[in-house]
Amino acid sequence: MNERKRALITGITGQDGSYLSELLLDKDYEVHGIIRRSSCFNTDRIDHIYKDPHNEEARLFLHYGDLTDGTTLRRILEEVKPIEIYNLGAQSHVRVSFDSPEYTVDAVGMGTLRILEAIRDYQHRTGIEVRFYQAGSSEMFGKVQEVPQKETTPFYPRSPYACAKVYAHWQTVNYRESYDLFACNGILFNHESPRRGETFVTRKITRALARIVKGMQKEVYLGNLDSKRDWGYAKDYVRAMWLMLQQDAPDDYVVATNETHSIREFLDVAFNYVNLDWHDYVKFDERYLRPAEVELLIGDPSKAKQKMGWEPSVTFDQLVKLMVDADIQALEKSKKIAQGFD
Ligand code: NAP
Ligand code: G4F
């Protein structure tokens, strides 16, 4: 009988971790995730796929750990014995990385190095190959040196977060070349969903809009509306992560839609969808500006398409509308529960 494939995910409680877990469970993997201890539950995004480990059908298992704690990472690797590791854990908020640069760099940069070192030793000792995915970011292109950005475009990071991701990127390349690890960098452009963290601009907008529609909020404060992003759908992007680890050889890939839109355009589509004019509701707060901004991101995903057959399936308009719909539905559901109708 074939043994079930085992994957280990850091950042399993995040947006991408939850979608990737669903995808791997659908493919009959046993999925292990690292979670941080928190004073209240932080597993909302994966509760629907979690089964008590005493249940024979359980295939999703959680382990306490932290990317800043190398000893625990090593112990979990030894216990789980995964054949694939997806390193999605990060302090992933660019604005916050200016406030907490040391912690961000420790978790994002050193955290990646800690895992690579653990894999290097484990693989050397056991002879078992562990394939590694590093969650790289289009933020690494920062002050862009080429339009659109592709795998060969030089990096010019503009935040502590982006600098740490560049470090993690080159360490991943370095471990691949030095120790023959099957290690891949995904260079993923912005990807969103109803599970996107509430303080990223897309979700902040759709969540506020839902509350405005329901009469629960009158305005929303934002920062720079002129920057442009290449926004895709998170579910499409986790498919690309998995595909990278199924190739014959490790490599680095840009994952993007090759379309770019400003925050203003996002507001246009979202508010027009519910017949409102965003100018009546959006206010400016300089608190949301960054010391250095990334003005324009647009990715060229042709390598991912040619080599892995990867393509995005959701358009910009569809993405905005599905996020607005989801936030309105979530409010309606919580209202019903509060009224005891559900
Ligand atoms: P996210 O929703 O912010 O999730 C981040 C995850 O990392 C959460 O599970 C979080 O745990 C965990 N985490 C944070 N600090 C940690 C630490 N010190 N040790 C262990 N885990 C830690 O991010 P995402 O949008 O899913 O993104 C996944 C990865 O892709 C991140 O590395 C991000 O930087 C990168 N990325 C994202 C995008 C995008 O547009 N979404 C684009 C390019 C790259 P808690 O739940 O406990 O906070
Ligand atoms: O939604 P954002 O915070 O995402 P950002 O900075 O592009 O980073 C995200 O995508 C990266 C991939 O390129 C990931 F690596 C990273 O982990 C994260 O997932 O901001 C998008 C834009 C920025 O230009 C920001 O200045 O929106 C602008 N913005 C305007 N008002 C705002 C706001 N951003 C936030 N978060 N909040 C605002 O009120």
Side-chain angles (χ1 to χ4, degrees):
M1 205 177 72
N2 279 345
E3 210 180 312
R4 190 166 266 145
K5 288 183 176 179
R6 259 193 311 274
L8 175 63
I9 303 175
T10 73
I12 194 167
T13 55
Q15 172 189 253
D16 292 4
S18 66
Y19 285 121
L20 180 65
S21 300
E22 286 173 4
L23 179 131
L24 296 176
L25 289 171
D26 278 352
K27 293 187 181 300
D28 202 35
Y29 278 61
E30 182 175 302
V31 177
H32 293 254
I34 297 182
I35 63 167
R36 301 192 289 174
R37 194 267 158 181
S38 157
S39 65
C40 49
F41 288 123
N42 59 354
T43 53
D44 284 15
R45 292 187 180 104
I46 50 171
D47 283 346
H48 63 290
I49 47 174
Y50 185 76
K51 288 196 174 81
D52 185 291
H54 303 99
N55 183 330
E56 273 179 12
E57 288 172 12
R59 280 194 288 120
L60 171 62
F61 302 94
L62 301 176
H63 308 258
Y64 283 114
D66 197 299
L67 284 160
T68 59
D69 173 2
T71 320
T72 308
L73 294 173
R74 279 177 181 268
R75 190 161 51 236
I76 295 171
L77 173 58
E78 294 286 342
E79 258 173 50
V80 173
K81 301 183 174 43
I83 58 157
E84 293 171 8
I85 297 185
Y86 297 85
N87 183 31
L88 311 186
Q91 189 303 93
S92 72
H93 202 286
V94 174
R95 177 68 192 82
V96 172
S97 79
F98 287 99
D99 300 329
S100 297
E102 275 187 41
Y103 169 68
T104 302
V105 171
D106 192 6
V108 173
M110 287 299 293
T112 305
L113 180 64
R114 289 181 186 108
I115 299 183
L116 285 165
E117 273 286 273
I119 297 175
R120 171 191 169 196
D121 290 346
Y122 176 82
Q123 197 164 290
H124 180 73
R125 187 171 54 76
T126 62
I128 300 168
E129 182 181 74
V130 182
R131 297 188 170 199
F132 177 73
Y133 172 82
Q134 165 56 17
S137 164
S138 52
E139 279 290 308
M140 300 189 293
F141 295 121
K143 191 170 178 182
V144 297
Q145 305 294 297
E146 188 179 19
V147 177
Q149 296 85 55
K150 47 183 187 277
E151 292 78 6
T152 50
T153 303
F155 297 140
Y156 194 139
R158 301 206 87 197
S159 63
Y161 166 81
C163 290
K165 284 286 184 188
V166 170
Y167 174 83
H169 174 97
W170 284 115
Q171 285 294 16
T172 301
V173 172
N174 187 42
Y175 273 62
R176 178 166 77 215
E177 294 176 356
S178 304
Y179 307 115
D180 208 19
L181 295 196
F182 194 110
C184 300
N185 286 295
I187 306 175
L188 271 54
F189 283 61
N190 297 52
H191 44 279
E192 319 292 314
S193 74
R195 295 186 200 165
R196 183 59 142 152
E198 290 90 342
T199 60
F200 295 97
V201 76
T202 55
R203 185 75 200 291
K204 184 170 169 183
I205 292 169
T206 60
R207 194 166 166 270
L209 177 54
R211 292 172 60 83
I212 289 167
V213 167
K214 295 288 172 194
M216 298 163 74
Q217 188 170 328
K218 286 198 165 58
E219 56 203 13
V220 56
Y221 285 85
L222 299 176
N224 175 20
L225 305 184
D226 295 319
S227 55
K228 293 180 137 191
R229 292 289 181 272
D230 178 332
W231 278 300
Y233 182 39
K235 247 183 165 174
D236 283 336
Y237 286 48
V238 300
R239 191 160 34 84
M241 297 174 186
W242 176 76
L243 280 170
M244 282 178 219
L245 298 198
Q246 313 313 309
Q247 303 304 302
D248 291 339
D251 207 342
D252 306 325
Y253 298 88
V254 158
V255 180
T257 69
N258 199 26
E259 253 189 52
T260 191
H261 297 276
S262 66
I263 317 298
R264 282 175 204 282
E265 290 174 88
F266 193 99
L267 287 163
D268 281 337
V269 177
F271 278 72
N272 286 346
Y273 184 46
V274 294
N275 299 316
L276 293 176
D277 180 347
W278 63 265
H279 298 91
D280 297 334
Y281 302 94
V282 173
K283 302 267 168 7
F284 173 72
D285 186 337
E286 65 178 10
R287 176 170 21 156
Y288 300 115
L289 297 178
R290 289 141 194 219
E293 178 62 280
V294 171
E295 305 291 352
L296 164 72
L297 290 174
I298 175 164
D300 173 359
S302 23
K303 178 175 170 184
K305 185 177 178 189
Q306 277 160 19
K307 298 216 162 176
M308 309 192 297
W310 181 87
E311 276 187 283
S313 73
V314 172
T315 65
F316 174 68
D317 263 44
Q318 288 169 335
L319 174 66
V320 179
K321 290 173 184 168
L322 77 80
M323 289 179 70
V324 173
D325 283 341
D327 271 320
I328 292 177
Q329 278 162 21
L331 271 189
E332 284 169 352
K333 194 172 174 207
S334 64
K335 252 185 164 174
K336 273 191 197 161
I337 292 171
Q339 291 165 349
F341 293 156
D342 208 329

